[in-house]
Amino acid sequence: QVQLVESGGGLVQPGGSLRLSCAASGRAFSIYAIGWYRQAPGKQRELVARINPGGIINYADSVKGRFAISRDNAKNTLYLQMNSLKPEDTAVYYCNAGDGLGYWGQGTQVTVSS
């Protein structure tokens, strides 16, 4: 069983930054591809960024150059640094272990608005 707990969401103005954190239990990082997904109102959940156990990273085209995913294996924590935020980044952000299947956190709201 893997437990994922997100934190770091909030309200930010366009152009601002936020860093999300996801604390994972167990050996999630060494077993699963882990990543961040988001779901905006009325839209399907979509991949934002993922990192596999070998360290290969993938980003959605919409966030390339603005977001950075990283992990701290010693702390079992996954991060998402979000810069140059846009209103269209507004969504609930979810941490996932299992490449879009498997285990999910409870989600954290990110709102980008002036």
Side-chain angles (χ1 to χ4, degrees):
Q1 187 74 13
V2 173
Q3 291 185 325
L4 305 169
V5 180
E6 301 102 333
S7 60
L11 173 64
V12 64
Q13 291 187 343
S17 298
L18 281 175
R19 188 175 80 155
L20 305 183
S21 299
C22 173
S25 65
R27 298 177 58 213
F29 287 12
S30 61
I31 296 173
Y32 300 103
I34 52 174
W36 293 95
Y37 291 72
R38 66 186 181 187
Q39 188 167 18
K43 294 188 176 181
Q44 289 189 331
R45 192 171 296 187
E46 63 176 3
L47 172 69
V48 176
R50 64 184 285 279
I51 182 168
N52 75 5
I56 295 174
I57 292 174
N58 302 103
Y59 291 101
D61 288 343
S62 59
V63 306
K64 283 181 180 176
R66 300 189 298 122
F67 290 12
I69 189 172
S70 62
R71 67 187 183 193
D72 185 329
N73 291 337
K75 295 182 179 180
N76 276 351
T77 302
L78 179 71
Y79 301 100
L80 184 68
Q81 178 66 43
M82 304 186 294
N83 300 323
S84 301
L85 282 160
K86 304 175 181 180
E88 51 263 43
D89 295 317
T90 295
V92 178
Y93 284 70
Y94 296 91
C95 181
N96 168 261
D99 232 350
L101 301 173
Y103 303 95
W104 295 91
Q106 82 285 357
T108 185
Q109 177 70 46
V110 172
T111 302
V112 185
S113 175
S114 56

